Amino acid sequence: MMARMTARGRSEAHRTATPLELFFDLCFVVAVAQAGRQLVHALAEGHPGHGVPGYLMLFFAIWWAWVNFSWFSSAYDTDDTLYRVVTLVQIAGVLILAAGVPRAFDGDFAVVWFGYLVMRLALVAQWLRAAHGSTGPERTTALRYAAGVTLCQAGWLAVLLSPEDVRPWVFLALAVAELAVPTVAERDHQTAWHPHHIAERYGLFVIIMLGETVSAATVAVQSAVDEQEELGNLLPIAAGGLLLIFAAYWIYFAVPIHLHLSSNRQAFLWGYGHYLVFGSAAAIGAGIEVAVEESVGKAHLSQFAASACVTLPGALFMFTVWLIHSRHQKRGPAQQLVLPVSSVLVLACTFAGHGAVLLTGLVAASTVAVGVTLTARQGQALGN
């Protein structure tokens, strides 16, 4: 069955994520896991100058492919046969990209580019179908998206052809161009993305990032225990990491955000900022793995550097969630200061030696406790 692709309304009732969207998200776990694994190897070998830029570039590619699909599906999901088939083609592109991540960390972006090509051709086909089913400014917007995505994909060839020393700058220029496409495409007509649906989609992806972090940290601890039997050193890292992950979940979902997403300007700033939210959430798991490897003598970096691999993404997650997400729902200076102050305290935990990860987890848990207490007091004050 194939329907005419028309825009869905922003006020549509009971709009939730579909099974196909959840399946799409699940397949991204493979790509995120590959990027995280390469980051762990680079950091554990003492090569942050190579690992961190590589991770940032590849995570941008993964994240942006997910963003492209999520916002399109929020506006135009018909869930008919053709839509499902094209989405499955995009998933195939994601898996090709994931397979090319290890090569990309070594400077060979050919497989990643081809995986991106598969995804982007499918996305362009979706936008052309949306253009075919619409008229006027809406049709113009869809055609602008199709043209913008096509031009950017052609531009990514420059990454393959550039010398290694200038590649990050070429990548940065193309990333800016990618981010500009929605702004240019929607300047005369806004697509019918659904605020509640978009908020739910982003929340589900946060859960996937944290789930990947739990999985990576669990495997690291299990491997270390099996090989080294260093349970006494590993338990504080495992406990601190788990507290940090639990707190990250609580902090992100403490406030509803869909009411804030009332315009493209607000929604795009919020959506783009999630590059740091998603990236730091996934990097926490990589940092825990590095801390585990350092504790059993398998990593070639200092204890301070290994601790920073956990505290830096942890602090970045807290501060970014406050900056783009939770501050819009906080009331009063006390509530507004909780996450910024906590992010500074998490950074200070880097200097705590063997107890850095455990102390980070305790700070994160205390952050949740303080936030819950302040919210409860505010509720009581309003009730009175």
Side-chain angles (χ1 to χ4, degrees):
M1 175 179 160
M2 187 163 60
R4 180 171 174 264
M5 182 173 276
T6 56
R8 302 180 66 155
R10 289 196 179 185
S11 59
E12 182 180 337
H14 310 298
R15 182 73 193 279
T16 59
T18 66
L20 182 61
E21 288 175 320
L22 298 178
F23 182 50
F24 187 88
D25 292 356
L26 183 62
C27 292
F28 267 83
V29 173
V30 181
V32 172
Q34 287 281 17
R37 192 170 297 117
Q38 298 305 313
L39 177 62
V40 170
H41 292 332
L43 294 177
E45 292 299 321
H47 303 303
H50 170 70
V52 173
Y55 174 78
L56 292 175
M57 287 192 293
L58 286 165
F59 195 88
F60 177 87
I62 296 166
W63 165 77
W64 189 241
W66 180 87
V67 167
N68 285 173
F69 169 79
S70 297
W71 287 80
F72 178 87
S73 65
S74 187
Y76 287 103
D77 184 359
T78 55
D79 200 31
D80 59 4
T81 300
L82 182 57
Y83 180 86
R84 291 186 179 190
V85 169
V86 175
T87 300
L88 294 175
V89 171
Q90 289 179 276
I91 290 175
V94 173
L95 299 179
I96 295 171
L97 182 152
V101 166
R103 287 176 175 269
F105 262 82
D106 293 329
D108 181 3
F109 284 84
V111 177
V112 167
W113 183 87
F114 180 70
Y116 228 60
L117 176 65
V118 173
M119 285 188 288
R120 305 312 280 286
L121 288 176
L123 179 65
V124 168
Q126 297 278 46
W127 279 116
L128 290 176
R129 186 183 173 197
H132 179 72
S134 58
T135 59
E138 183 185 348
R139 184 173 187 273
T140 300
T141 294
L143 290 174
R144 284 175 180 169
Y145 264 113
V149 171
T150 301
L151 289 173
C152 287
Q153 182 58 36
W156 286 113
L157 279 171
V159 175
L160 300 181
L161 303 176
S162 300
E164 189 171 352
D165 57 335
V166 301
R167 188 172 292 156
W169 301 107
V170 175
F171 193 102
L172 180 61
L174 287 166
V176 172
E178 290 275 8
L179 295 174
V181 169
T183 303
V184 173
E186 302 201 20
R187 66 187 179 192
D188 299 321
H189 174 82
Q190 296 184 6
T191 53
W193 51 267
H194 193 286
H196 191 280
H197 177 250
I198 282 293
E200 181 189 23
R201 297 286 289 114
Y202 272 71
L204 291 172
F205 207 63
V206 168
I207 291 175
I208 286 177
M209 295 301 99
L210 294 177
E212 169 56 29
T213 293
V214 170
S215 175
T218 301
V219 170
V221 172
Q222 178 187 346
S223 299
V225 169
D226 291 343
E227 295 179 15
Q228 303 289 334
E229 297 183 355
E230 296 278 353
L231 195 58
N233 292 333
L234 296 175
L235 279 178
I237 296 175
L242 197 60
L243 285 173
L244 178 58
I245 295 166
F246 287 171
Y249 163 82
W250 196 299
I251 288 166
Y252 185 88
F253 291 99
V255 298
I257 195 63
H258 63 277
L259 295 178
H260 172 69
L261 308 179
S262 58
S263 70
N264 273 9
R265 182 178 181 276
Q266 292 168 319
F268 285 178
L269 288 173
W270 174 84
Y272 288 172
H274 271 73
Y275 167 65
L276 295 176
V277 174
F278 293 154
S280 59
I284 289 172
I288 294 172
E289 286 193 64
V290 173
V292 168
E293 292 195 13
E294 189 279 330
S295 72
V296 297
K298 294 175 64 177
H300 301 90
L301 77 170
S302 67
Q303 185 180 84
F304 177 84
S307 299
C309 291
V310 178
T311 58
L312 284 176
L316 180 61
F317 179 88
M318 286 186 177
F319 183 78
T320 309
V321 168
W322 169 79
L323 183 65
I324 69 167
H325 187 78
S326 62
R327 72 182 176 90
H328 302 296
Q329 304 294 328
K330 300 294 184 181
R331 298 292 179 267
Q335 285 194 348
Q336 289 288 6
L337 285 173
V338 172
L339 286 177
V341 170
S342 294
S343 64
V344 174
L345 293 177
V346 166
L347 286 176
C349 293
T350 310
F351 300 90
H354 289 291
V357 177
L358 178 59
L359 186 58
T360 298
L362 292 173
V363 169
S366 299
T367 301
V368 172
V370 171
V372 169
T373 301
L374 291 174
T375 301
R377 288 179 178 175
Q378 182 187 46
Q380 290 174 355
L382 292 174
N384 295 331

